[in-house]
């Protein structure tokens, strides 16, 4: 096994590592997945859920590209919700509540079913680098395993340090040891490293909670799923989550432990996630709020373990317990384990190319929390892209890069390598300037043809996408070209409190009205017959509705994206010397030299590079 040279070695088997290993092996590359514990492949280290605002779009993009996160999420789901349905479709975001044990089991089963993928359990303590090019990995037992490319997905394990009150101990996750050796070696090669923090809440015994005092949070009545494929089906039954609140009493009890909090006594120096703060951070920063929401999330179908979402903390365990007992419904709570914070090493992602290959060591790729991101979905998407690009590179094929107008994944990677991050980065719809184009409903139309060209997705998947695109376009044309009977239409318009029509006209004009949706227009006999005759499914019909109602917005964003592409086509030579361009501001010269953008478009997104600097650069690139 170790005598041969692998094409790709993936280090770490979390969400990033699992996607990287799966896609590399599915592309036909001989792949080795090395992890410290084969029993924790694909583990949900924090909350038992996938998707959410913008993250749900990422899961669908992963699925459209031939990744497995959507399939695994669907097969282990216990609840489904489409968030933000009161807003436009650019904001709709799918989310599943998952069975934690079944999620990890499903990942293991999926990976073991891939022919070209080997597994090995041990800690990788170092890298083999020859003439600034990766040549394999070294393990803690002294094994040297050779490969053409390596993808590092170390999560929170690099020199991980766990904090609970005044206690601290090494670990990458509760009950698991930290990984050592890699950071020191990368620093020797000239990499910059930093420290970040994340946290997790207590897990409690659901039998000790009084759900009758809480607000039930059921799943959707009309259930959807992440994966476009026929490998998964929608949920027939769902488990409720519940909601309760903290109170001034709970806040006072938590404050009693602030003097022993590692966040406030200086033990934790690193920065935590801005958008997922700990409970002590929330009551300190938002002192005017007398309560905060807590979501009580079951960890699976059959387990009694419960995740207390919103109560992430590193306070002493006695303080956690005392405060949580004062939350409504938690009066008799029993802990499975306390919450904790964890600090770990990361490498500022401005040291990467768009392919996630490092600039300093050829064929070495970083994905996930090692790049300063937080979230399963962000990690999985980076793993997928790193795995694809590792295979493309060793085969001397063209790099696979997604633009900002093509995918949330493109926005994520461009943000990381262009702007960097000094706090754990998470994706939001607001980060995507072309979010009307990057909807969750059209990820397959956007990305499956790209994955098909790479040989990742099947002919069946491509045929499904072609049919969806063609049938949606045909129905839009039907609505534009077919006239309704105004008497039949007025019956509908009267029920919907919409202005009546005085003569026959095209369906498209009425359907474009905000009060009229697809379920209404389907009642009209001509439309109903067209849908039945063409056997159109809900995916196609959803696409039709979006294209009719938002065609103006979509066209406007496409035009804006086309303008951006013109700057994307202005390439900047590698290792360009900006010091000779005296018209650039000093800050611009400094930032451009450090990041080395590959196009003028990327240069324009660097913090500290002004529009006038871009004008100067365009003149020089023109010359």
């Amino acid at each position: 096994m170790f005598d041969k040279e692998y094409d790709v070695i993936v280090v770490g088997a979390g969400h990033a590592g699992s996607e990287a290993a799966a896609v590399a092996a599915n592309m036909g590359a001989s792949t080795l997945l090395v992890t410290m514990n084969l029993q924790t492949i694909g583990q949900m280290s924090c909350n038992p859920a996938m998707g959410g605002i913008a993250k749900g779009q990422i899961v669908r993009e992963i699925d459209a590209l031939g990744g497995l996160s959507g399939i695994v999420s669907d097969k282990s789901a216990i609840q489904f919700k489409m968030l933000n349905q009161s807003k436009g479709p650019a904001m709709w975001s799918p989310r599943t509540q998952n069975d934690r044990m079944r999620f990890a089991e499903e990942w293991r089963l999926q990976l073991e079913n891939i022919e070209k993928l080997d597994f090995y359990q041990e800690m990788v303590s170092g890298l083999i680098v020859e003439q600034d090019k990766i040549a394999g990995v070294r393990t803690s037992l002294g094994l040297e395993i050779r490969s053409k490319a390596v993808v590092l997905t170390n999560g929170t394990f690099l020199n991980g340090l766990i904090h609970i009150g005044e206690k601290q101990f090494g670990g990458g996750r509760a009950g698991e040891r930290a990984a050592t050796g890699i950071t020191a070696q990368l620093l020797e090669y000239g990499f910059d490293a930093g420290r970040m923090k994340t946290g997790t809440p207590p897990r409690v015994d659901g039998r000790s909670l009084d759900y009758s005092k809480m607000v039930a949070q059921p799943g959707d009545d009309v259930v959807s799923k992440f994966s476009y494929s026929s490998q998964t089906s929608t949920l027939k039954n769902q488990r409720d989550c519940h909601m309760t609140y903290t109170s001034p009493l709970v806040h006072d009890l938590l404050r009693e432990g602030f003097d022993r909090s590692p966040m406030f006594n200086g033990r934790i120096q690193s920065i935590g996630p801005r958008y997922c703060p700990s409970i002590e951070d929330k009551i300190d920063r938002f002192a005017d709020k007398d309560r905060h929401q807590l979501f009580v999330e079951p960890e699976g179908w059959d387990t009694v373990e419960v995740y207390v979402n919103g109560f992430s903390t590193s306070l002493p365990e006695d303080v956690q317990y005392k405060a949580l007992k004062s939350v409504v419904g938690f009066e008799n709570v029993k802990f499975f384990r306390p919450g904790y914070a964890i600090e770990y090493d990361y490498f500022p992602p401005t040291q990467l190319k768009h392919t996630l290959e490092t600039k300093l060591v050829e064929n070495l790729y970083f994905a996930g929390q090692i790049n300063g991101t937080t979230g399963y979905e962000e990690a999985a998407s980076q793993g997928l892209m790193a795995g694809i690009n590792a295979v493309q590179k060793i085969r001397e094929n063209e790099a696979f890069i997604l633009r900002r107008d093509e995918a949330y994944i493109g926005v994520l990677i461009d943000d990381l390598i262009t702007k960097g991050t000094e706090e754990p980065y998470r994706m939001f719809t607001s980060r995507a300037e072309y979010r009307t184009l990057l909807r969750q409903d059209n990820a397959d139309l956007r990305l499956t043809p790209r994955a098909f060209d790479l040989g990742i997705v099947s002919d069946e998947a491509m045929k499904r996408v072609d049919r969806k695109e063609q049938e949606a376009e045909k129905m839009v044309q039907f609505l534009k070209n077919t006239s309704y009977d105004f008497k039949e239409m007025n019956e509908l318009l009267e029920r919907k409190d919409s202005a009546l029509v005085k003569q026959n006209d095209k369906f498209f004009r009425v359907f474009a009205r905000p009060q009229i949706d697809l379920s209404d227009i389907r009642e009209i006999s001509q439309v109903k017959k067209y849908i039945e005759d063409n056997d159109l499914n809900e995916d196609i019909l959803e696409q039709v509705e979006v294209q009719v109602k938002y065609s103006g917005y979509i066209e406007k964003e496409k035009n804006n994206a086309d303008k951006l592409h013109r700057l994307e086509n202005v390439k900047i030579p590698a290792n360009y010397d900006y010091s000779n361009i005296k018209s650039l501001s000093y800050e611009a010269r400094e930032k451009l030299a450090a990041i080395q953008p590959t196009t003028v478009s990327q240069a324009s997104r660097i913090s500290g590079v002004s529009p006038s600097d871009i004008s100067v650069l365009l003149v020089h690139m023109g010359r």
Side-chain angles (χ1 to χ4, degrees), residues 72-80 96-99 235 237 301:
V72 171
S73 299
D74 287 345
K75 288 192 170 186
S76 60
I78 63 173
Q79 188 192 87
F80 181 90
T96 55
Q97 199 71 37
N98 293 83
D99 186 309
L235 284 170
N237 301 302
W301 286 113

Side-chain angles (χ1 to χ4, degrees), residues 84 129 151 168 172 179 303 339 357 433 472 474 500 525 586:
N84 277 344
V129 180
V151 183
Q168 60 184 70
T303 181
E357 182 186 19
E433 57 270 51
K474 276 168 61 179
L500 303 183
S525 54
Y586 178 78

Side-chain angles (χ1 to χ4, degrees), residues 117 143 169 329 479 572-573:
L117 182 57
L143 283 173
F169 45 92
L479 295 169
I572 302 175

Side-chain angles (χ1 to χ4, degrees), residues 583-597:
S583 308
L584 287 173
S585 68
Y586 178 78
E587 184 181 5
R589 289 203 298 272
E590 193 178 61
K591 295 282 181 69
L592 290 164
I595 292 170
Q596 286 292 323

Side-chain angles (χ1 to χ4, degrees), residues 328-573:
V328 172
F330 280 72
E331 294 83 359
N332 299 306
V333 68
K334 293 179 182 177
F335 271 30
F336 271 23
R337 75 165 196 234
Y340 61 87
I342 181 165
E343 288 186 287
Y344 54 94
D345 293 339
Y346 86 104
F347 292 83
T350 49
Q351 300 170 97
L352 303 177
K353 302 174 184 177
H354 268 99
T355 57
L356 298 180
E357 182 186 19
T358 68
K359 294 174 182 176
L360 291 174
V361 176
E362 190 179 354
N363 290 2
L364 175 63
Y365 295 79
F366 290 173
Q369 284 176 291
I370 192 172
N371 290 335
T373 62
T374 182
Y376 306 145
E377 304 82 3
E378 288 90 339
S381 67
Q382 292 170 68
L384 182 78
M385 296 300 286
I388 292 171
N389 278 306
V391 176
Q392 290 292 94
K393 178 79 185 291
I394 62 179
R395 289 179 176 168
E396 298 182 355
N397 291 336
E398 187 180 351
F400 182 64
I401 295 167
L402 295 171
R403 299 190 310 266
R404 295 181 73 90
D405 63 317
E406 286 184 302
Y408 272 92
I409 297 172
V411 175
L412 165 69
I413 293 174
D414 188 63
D415 277 357
L416 290 174
I417 71 157
T418 302
K419 299 173 183 173
T421 185
E422 292 180 354
E423 62 185 42
Y425 176 103
R426 69 156 292 181
M427 181 52 74
F428 288 103
T429 48
S430 58
R431 295 194 193 272
E433 57 270 51
Y434 303 113
R435 57 184 172 271
T436 305
L437 302 180
L438 310 182
R439 306 181 309 277
Q440 58 85 31
D441 61 86
N442 71 350
D444 54 343
L445 301 179
R446 291 184 275 122
L447 299 175
T448 297
R450 300 284 306 272
F452 183 72
D453 291 342
L454 291 169
I456 305 171
V457 301
S458 65
D459 291 347
E460 181 194 347
M462 197 60 226
K463 285 176 187 171
R464 188 175 62 248
V465 168
D466 284 342
R467 180 173 187 266
K468 179 176 175 178
E469 189 167 36
Q470 290 161 13
E471 292 294 347
E473 179 55 32
K474 276 168 61 179
M475 186 169 174
V476 170
Q477 292 307 314
F478 165 80
L479 295 169
K480 284 181 175 178
N481 299 328
T482 308
S483 297
Y484 55 76
D485 175 79
F486 79 95
K487 291 180 181 175
E488 185 182 12
M489 184 60 73
N490 277 337
E491 290 176 15
L492 166 64
L493 296 177
E494 196 167 5
R495 285 200 309 275
K496 301 297 290 185
D497 201 22
S498 186
L500 303 183
V501 290
K502 296 180 179 176
Q503 59 188 33
N504 297 352
D505 203 345
K506 304 295 187 246
F507 277 105
F508 191 92
R509 288 175 63 84
V510 170
F511 192 14
R513 293 186 184 186
Q515 306 96 324
I516 307 300
D517 58 31
L518 186 61
S519 61
D520 301 319
I521 212 84
R522 285 167 79 165
E523 294 178 21
I524 305 296
S525 54
Q526 290 158 277
V527 178
K528 187 176 182 180
K529 185 175 186 304
Y530 181 89
I531 292 170
E532 289 172 354
D533 288 349
N534 290 278
D535 191 26
L536 302 185
N537 61 34
E538 293 304 318
D539 255 9
I540 294 168
L541 295 174
E542 181 182 31
Q543 201 58 221
V544 170
E545 182 160 28
V546 170
Q547 287 184 25
V548 171
K549 289 191 171 298
Y550 297 91
S551 55
Y553 298 103
I554 292 169
E555 199 56 41
K556 184 178 177 182
E557 279 200 2
K558 280 182 179 171
N559 291 335
N560 289 339
D562 287 342
K563 291 175 187 173
L564 176 79
H565 293 167
R566 291 198 280 275
L567 288 182
E568 288 285 1
N569 292 329
V570 185
K571 305 291 183 189
I572 302 175

Side-chain angles (χ1 to χ4, degrees), residues 161 163 165-166 168 197 257-271 314 343:
L161 186 64
H163 297 266
E166 294 171 299
Q168 60 184 70
K197 174 196 90 81
F258 276 15
D259 60 327
R260 293 189 285 152
S261 164
M263 276 189 57
F264 297 126
N265 64 19
R267 283 179 180 270
I268 293 179
Q269 298 288 331
S270 46
I271 299 172
S314 58
E343 288 186 287

Side-chain angles (χ1 to χ4, degrees), residues 49 58 61 207 222 245 299 335 433 469 499 507 516 592 612:
I58 289 176
E61 289 178 353
R207 296 169 299 183
V222 179
Y245 294 90
E299 298 254 340
F335 271 30
E433 57 270 51
E469 189 167 36
F507 277 105
I516 307 300
L592 290 164
S612 61

